[in-house]
Amino acid sequence: MKTLLVLRHAKSGWDDPVARDFDRPLNPKGQRAAVAMGRYLRAEGLRFDHAIASPAVRVQETLVQVSNGYGETIAPAWDKRLYLASLGTLLDAIEALPDTADVVLLSGHNPGLEELVLDRVSAPGPLRDEVEQKYPTATLAVLRFDIEHWAEASGADAELVRFVRPRDLDPSLGPDA
């Protein structure tokens, strides 16, 4: 059994005058949402053996704030391929994960992360419907694969066991707040 925690980066600041999209930082609401998600991970006992992430500034800052809420430093393997990665690139990265890791945190960007969840979860259900509707920033999806090796992930269905948005944790983190 392998489990993948799929975390989209928190809300970034479009008002910040950076030259490149890669360098966009989080805005204050995004920082709060990431801390809330870290607290949720800790409260629910969601632990992971390994982490991989896009090196974009907004992902780096998300993981710092998640760490603050989680109470432990998250030190991912930074993978440039994960910056705005397509479904195929994400599956390649997952297949290359070490089999010694049973639970992995993957942090990156949409639309790739949403496509990953929808591609691997074929069974209909209310959680999948929510993913299909929208995969907001700082949202966590937990996928459980009935596989022994990560290399089998692209050919395996996953069970979507959680889909948690920041607004589910704190209504002030919702879109209308």
Side-chain angles (χ1 to χ4, degrees), residues 126-139:
L127 291 181
R128 190 181 192 286
D129 292 347
E130 288 182 36
V131 173
E132 212 165 38
Q133 186 178 11
K134 186 171 184 181
Y135 199 122
T137 53
T139 291

Side-chain angles (χ1 to χ4, degrees), residues 69-140:
Y70 191 59
E72 292 181 32
T73 300
I74 298 171
W78 301 108
D79 187 337
K80 289 182 182 178
R81 297 174 304 158
L82 298 180
Y83 173 64
L84 303 178
S86 68
L87 171 61
T89 300
L90 290 168
L91 288 170
D92 288 346
I94 292 164
E95 287 188 338
L97 289 169
D99 283 329
T100 53
D102 289 323
V103 182
V104 174
L105 174 68
L106 164 65
S107 188
H109 312 267
N110 252 5
L113 295 183
E114 180 178 330
E115 291 171 359
L116 171 67
V117 173
L118 294 174
D119 183 69
R120 292 298 82 215
V121 178
S122 61
L127 291 181
R128 190 181 192 286
D129 292 347
E130 288 182 36
V131 173
E132 212 165 38
Q133 186 178 11
K134 186 171 184 181
Y135 199 122
T137 53
T139 291
L140 176 73

Side-chain angles (χ1 to χ4, degrees), residues 4 8 10 13 19 24 26 31 35 50 53-54 58 71 90 102 118 134 150 152 164:
L4 188 65
R8 185 176 174 199
R24 271 192 298 117
L26 297 184
Q31 292 172 2
V35 170
H50 187 70
S54 160
R58 60 192 177 272
L90 290 168
D102 289 323
L118 294 174
K134 186 171 184 181
W150 285 110
E152 302 169 72
V164 182

